[in-house]
């Protein structure tokens, strides 16, 4: 039976022995055009429009320039891309697996855990967040009887184009109109939906290209402002009758004294320094901050976890925005896991285990994104809930606290030997018997049983509380029961207790 890829395309084993791009030498010899140089709004609009029509080269090169030239953009996108590389992961079998499916999932776990550059693969795949896609070429090798990936080679996004018919299929640029189709089982093509739209419009950098452009204008204008308004105006005065050579000498002195803080002029000439023209840099700073905040919002979902928000950033608000980042992390993880399932787990299985594969029964690549709950809160709440009669599954508590359920041979932490309830009661009685009797303690125990009048007095309040639906209603109706409260018995009980206490105290003193 012929081997096919996840899309049903037939596969030839000879393609495993050589990477597809090794035959396209012109791609390796290309140099980027750097379209960000001299970028203007009309030119940016043209680049984005050409990408929508299938020519994505200029757009991809522009996105690469944006990362290289904007430190804030690089830092923010780096946070999002690196967040997933620190998360634990595992390969899980499909739901209700049989023995074969469980064994295949265990084998895939061993293979991927032994790969040294799996974190680099995840980082390169997440390049698709900004550009809309990321293409990694697989370099297969034969190890014993198994086909395993030797290397994951990231390929520049500018090497690709879209097919003319649908503009949804990535192809290598080989000089033809439609490009060369990617070899089955030879690529990990991660299409990241940072926003809805087909490949050319799905990247986050299409949103960030405009703030990037306006920020560049603001920075350039700020530099000109500092050059014009940051230095005092220098005026050279020459004496009447000075010739062209003397005037040229004075001009050179005026220019050089601004840069070198030194210069010479002929005797009789003078240089005056006027106060620099009044101006402010605040409009340019505002534009730069607006652009950087816009980038942070688009990439991380907020601004309070970055420096862009300035002195308004607080730990409390930053923690709230970190929750938004966790939602983005979960979305990124889900998309990356789906790509790895189709373009890495599936090829490993069909090349090494053979057989026809049902895509619905493939193993799953899963990131561990469940956050451990506050252990102190649960340690205090769970015993009380259990004592109140609530039935709580042990597996649920283990999942919430991120504590694995021990296996048969696993050593577990434990408390001291528990004491039976009867033994505990006997121990309390014995300890009490050993203690010397205290008259005041005996009196307190005796009086503690005589407080029934208090309960009788509060009975009308309890009945009113039971009949009210809200606390506001109870508060408003409380004056109704005040005439029913008879405190005479309670007052007499308190008086008897105080008298007995005084007598017992005097008797103990004697």
């Amino acid at each position: 039976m012929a081997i096919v890829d996840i899309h049903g395309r037939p596969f030839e084993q000879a393609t495993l022995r050589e990477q597809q791009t090794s035959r396209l030498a012109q791609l390796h010899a290309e140099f980027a055009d750097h379209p960000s140089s001299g970028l203007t709004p009309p030119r940016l609009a043209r680049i984005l429009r050409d990408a929508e029509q299938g020519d994505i080269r200029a757009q991809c090169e522009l996105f690469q320039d944006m990362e290289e030239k904007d430190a804030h953009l690089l830092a923010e996108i780096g946070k999002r891309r690196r967040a997933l590389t620190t998360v634990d992961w595992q390969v899980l079998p499909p739901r209700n697996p049989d023995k074969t499916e469980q064994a295949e999932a265990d084998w895939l776990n061993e293979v991927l855990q032994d790969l040294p550059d799996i974190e680099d693969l995840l980082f390169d795949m997440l390049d698709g967040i900004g550009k809309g896609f990321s293409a990694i070429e697989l370099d297969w090798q034969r190890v014993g009887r198994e086909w395993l990936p030797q290397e994951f080679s990231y390929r520049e996004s500018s090497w690709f184009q879209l097919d003319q018919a649908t503009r949804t299929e990535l192809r290598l640029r080989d000089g033809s109109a439609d490009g060369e189709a990617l070899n089955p089982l030879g690529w990990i093509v991660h299409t990241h939906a940072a926003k809805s739209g087909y490949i050319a419009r799905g990247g986050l950098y299409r949103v960030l290209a405009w703030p990037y452009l306006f920020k560049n204008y603001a920075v350039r204008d700020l530099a000109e402002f500092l050059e014009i308004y940051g230095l005092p105006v220098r005026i050279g005065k020459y004496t009447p009758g000075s010739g062209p050579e003397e005037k040229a000498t004075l001009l050179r002195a005026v220019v050089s004294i601004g840069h070198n803080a030194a210069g010479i002029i002929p005797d009789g000439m003078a240089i005056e320094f006027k106060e620099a023209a009044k101006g402010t840099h605040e409009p340019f700073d505002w534009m730069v901050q607006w652009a950087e905040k816009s980038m942070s919002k688009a990439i991380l979902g907020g601004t309070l976890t970055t420096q862009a928000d300035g002195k308004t950033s607080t730990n409390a608000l930053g923690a709230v925005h970190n929750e938004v980042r966790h939602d983005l992390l979960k979305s990124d993880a889900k998309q990356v896991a789906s790509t790895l399932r189709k373009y890495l787990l599936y090829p490993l299985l069909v090349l090494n285990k053979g057989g026809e594969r049902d895509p619905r029964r493939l193993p799953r690549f899963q990131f561990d994104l469940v956050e451990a709950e506050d252990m102190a809160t649960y340690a205090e709440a769970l015993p009380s809930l259990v004592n109140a009669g609530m039935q709580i599954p042990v597996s649920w508590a283990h999942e919430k606290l991120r504590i694995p359920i021990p296996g048969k041979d696993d050593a577990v932490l434990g408390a001291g030997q528990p004491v039976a309830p009867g033994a505990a009661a006997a121990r309390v009685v014995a300890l009490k018997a050993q203690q010397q009797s205290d008259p005041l303690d005996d009196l307190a125990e005796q009086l503690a049983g005589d407080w029934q009048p208090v309960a009788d007095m509060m009975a009308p309040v309890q009945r009113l509380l039971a009949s009210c639906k809200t606390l506001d209603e109870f508060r408003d109706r409380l004056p109704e029961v005040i005439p029913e409260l008879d405190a005479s018995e309670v007052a007499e009980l308190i008086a008897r207790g105080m008298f007995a206490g005084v007598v017992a105290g005097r008797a103990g003193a004697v």
Side-chain angles (χ1 to χ4, degrees), residues 424-436:
R427 182 178 300 178
V428 172
V429 172
L431 290 174
K432 286 187 175 181
Q434 294 175 2
Q435 296 176 352
Q436 185 178 0

Side-chain angles (χ1 to χ4, degrees), residues 180-196:
E180 181 177 323
L182 303 182
N183 286 341
L185 307 187
W187 294 84
I188 297 177
V189 180
H190 177 58
T191 304
H192 199 95
K195 66 183 189 68
S196 299

Side-chain angles (χ1 to χ4, degrees), residues 126-147:
L126 289 171
D127 188 49
I129 295 175
K131 300 172 183 175
F133 71 93
S134 177
I136 293 91
E137 191 170 10
L138 294 170
D139 184 9
W140 293 97
Q141 64 175 341
R142 189 79 169 176
V143 180
R145 301 177 60 182
E146 296 179 339
W147 283 102

Side-chain angles (χ1 to χ4, degrees), residues 222-490:
L222 177 60
E224 293 181 358
F225 169 83
L226 294 177
E227 183 176 1
I228 296 173
Y229 294 96
L231 296 175
V233 177
R234 305 174 301 281
I235 300 177
K237 294 183 178 181
Y238 54 85
T239 58
S242 299
E245 184 176 351
E246 294 174 317
K247 294 178 181 179
T249 301
L250 179 59
L251 179 60
R252 287 194 300 270
V254 170
V255 172
S256 65
I257 201 171
H259 297 280
N260 302 325
I264 59 174
I265 57 176
D267 188 22
M269 295 182 180
I271 298 179
E272 293 184 0
F273 293 87
K274 302 294 184 180
E275 183 181 359
K278 299 296 184 182
T280 176
H281 59 85
E282 292 180 359
F284 309 105
D285 286 344
W286 184 91
M287 177 62 77
V288 171
Q289 291 178 15
W290 169 83
E292 293 187 346
K293 288 179 183 179
S294 299
M295 293 176 182
S296 298
K297 290 177 183 178
I299 298 173
L300 300 179
T303 62
L304 295 183
T305 56
T306 68
Q307 190 179 10
D309 205 44
K311 59 185 179 182
T312 61
S313 298
T314 64
N315 289 335
L317 293 177
V320 174
H321 281 232
N322 271 327
E323 294 299 324
V324 179
R325 288 183 58 185
H326 184 71
D327 291 342
L328 293 176
L329 179 64
K330 291 172 63 177
S331 175
D332 294 343
K334 184 177 181 180
Q335 296 187 56
V336 169
S338 176
T339 298
L340 290 174
R341 186 186 192 192
K342 294 185 293 185
Y343 295 107
L344 183 58
L345 302 188
Y346 177 86
L348 283 169
L349 286 180
V350 297
L351 290 176
N352 295 287
K353 303 299 181 180
E356 185 177 354
R357 297 285 165 176
D358 183 355
R360 297 172 299 178
R361 299 296 298 173
L362 288 177
R364 295 174 291 118
F365 193 97
Q366 180 171 300
F367 291 93
D368 184 7
L369 296 174
V370 179
E371 293 184 323
E373 303 289 347
D374 186 356
M375 190 170 296
T377 301
Y378 274 74
E380 181 179 353
L382 287 179
S384 301
L385 295 174
V386 172
N387 292 336
M390 184 174 289
Q391 298 180 352
I392 301 176
V394 174
S395 59
W396 177 86
H398 276 272
E399 179 181 356
K400 285 294 183 181
L401 298 175
R402 308 301 299 148
I403 299 176
I405 298 177
K408 291 183 178 180
D409 301 328
D410 292 338
V412 297
L413 300 175
Q417 185 67 24
V419 181
R427 182 178 300 178
V428 172
V429 172
L431 290 174
K432 286 187 175 181
Q434 294 175 2
Q435 296 176 352
Q436 185 178 0
S437 177
D438 189 337
L440 291 178
D441 289 342
D442 296 341
L443 177 62
E445 292 181 4
Q446 180 181 356
L447 293 176
D450 296 338
W451 286 91
Q452 184 60 35
V454 177
D456 296 339
M457 183 187 72
M458 297 301 297
V461 179
Q462 296 291 340
R463 289 194 298 269
L464 174 63
L465 181 61
S467 65
C468 294
K469 296 182 178 180
T470 64
L471 290 178
D472 292 338
E473 180 185 358
F474 174 73
R475 180 194 59 196
D476 296 337
R477 294 182 55 188
L478 188 59
E480 299 176 5
V481 299
I482 291 179
E484 303 179 29
L485 304 180
D486 185 5
S488 59
E489 293 186 14
V490 177

